[in-house]
Amino acid sequence: MQKKCFNIGGLRLANPVVLAPMAGITSLPYRRIMKEFGAALVFTEMVSCNGLVRDGRKTFELVRSCPEEAPLGIQVFGGEPEVVAEGVRRIEQYGALIDFNLGCPVSKVVRGEAGSALLRQPRRVAAIIGAMRRATDRPLTVKIRAGWDAASINFLEIGHIAQAEGADAITLHPRTRAQGFGGRADWDMIAQLKQALDIPVVGSGDIQTAEDALAMLDRTGCDAVMIGRGAYGNPWLIANILNLLEGRPTRSPSPAERLAVALRHLNYHRDYAGDRKTVFEMRKHLCWYSRGLPGSSDFRQQVNRTGQVDELIQLAESFFGGEEKADVC
Ligand SMILES: Cc1cc2nc3c(=O)[nH]c(=O)nc-3n(C[C@H](O)[C@H](O)[C@H](O)COP(=O)(O)O)c2cc1C
């Protein structure tokens, strides 16, 4: 299979591999690492339009970027058309593309009639996407789930609405809100959406290996794959998808490579947020980078007891660089 570039509303993407928006994960340091491994497009975690219109400092922090990660997709969420449109006007300058969240299952968001709760209100979805379209000339995308629950699966209806209101592409994570992250993502729904729409369709859900990504592209005909949890501690997944797309073999990182990337990630985090937050945030990433290596469970326990960045670095150096480690992936 050839590596395919594709366009979203005039934004040319070099390959069909994009990084999923993930709250609490896809901060600037994480996105930079994934970009370095070849993701054509990276997304912020979801940004509250209410926070943007209130000029919330923490909210604007989420769209902090750097030239190395371009093009950046900014994902926003909200429930009121005018608030969402105003939020978009305030941040469009920071990203190359704006995405709207119609999938978040978290109670706090759903209670505010945003995220996946909107799937139950197609008319409001139309009003919001229309208002966003009028507010920005940037490429505009939406990210949806299959529906609210098994009795109300309506991704095709929402897809048609998004296209009619001017969305340039749509991402489907084919689980219902009721499913959360349980069960399997139903890739057949991605194929159905691709058949039904003219705009590009991005498939999201359960890509853990490079082979999975090629299978999704092949089985659904989607224009691009979105990589979420599979890349935790494993940016090599993205490089390996590109390897397979270009007819090259996949390869597993050595422990030394894992260490180098983990420490680069940590240093990006230090620059981004300072030492205190770096310890807190990087613990989970270091645990993920260690997955599959002998002794990783002891390493995880030590990491989670560590309160200083320098200690974290020493622990990582002695774990990944210590006694000979087999290359496991
Ligand atoms: C920790 C976490 C946070 C997430 N945050 C968001 C988010 O902010 N916006 C969004 O559209 N999807 C979010 N998602 C969903 C992912 O973007 C993706 O659609 C989903 O995880 C399925 O893909 P995967 O199996 O490759 O992880 C999140 C998922 C996880 C696991």
Side-chain angles (χ1 to χ4, degrees), residues 47 49 52 74-78 84 88 91 98-101 132:
V47 178
C49 287
L52 291 172
I74 298 179
Q75 188 188 64
V76 297
F77 73 97
V84 175
V88 166
I91 44 92
I98 310 294
D99 183 66
F100 184 59
N101 181 312
M132 292 176 80

Side-chain angles (χ1 to χ4, degrees), residues 19-26 44-47 75 99-105 143-145 171-173 175 181 185 204-208 226-232:
L19 177 69
M22 286 185 288
I25 307 285
T26 54
T44 63
E45 51 192 289
M46 59 184 202
V47 178
Q75 188 188 64
D99 183 66
F100 184 59
N101 181 312
L102 280 165
C104 180
K143 181 163 179 286
I144 67 175
R145 280 185 175 243
T171 302
L172 173 60
H173 173 205
R175 286 187 174 92
F181 289 91
S204 165
D206 298 349
I207 294 177
Q208 290 290 335
M226 181 174 267
I227 308 301
R229 292 163 294 172
Y232 284 178

Side-chain angles (χ1 to χ4, degrees), residues 119 122-123 153-163 193 197:
L119 296 173
R123 279 217 295 266
I153 291 195
N154 64 348
F155 65 94
L156 289 174
E157 179 191 10
I158 299 289
H160 280 296
I161 289 171
Q163 179 170 277
L193 190 64
L197 299 185

Side-chain angles (χ1 to χ4, degrees), residues 38 64 73 92 95-96 98 102 140 169-170 190 196 235 242 260:
R64 225 170 98 194
E92 62 168 355
I98 310 294
L102 280 165
L140 176 62
I170 184 160
I190 299 172
L242 299 178

Side-chain angles (χ1 to χ4, degrees), residues 281-293:
E281 276 301 312
M282 285 305 297
R283 281 181 186 150
K284 62 176 180 271
H285 292 290
L286 287 175
C287 293
W288 287 329
Y289 281 111
S290 76
R291 268 200 304 220
L293 291 176

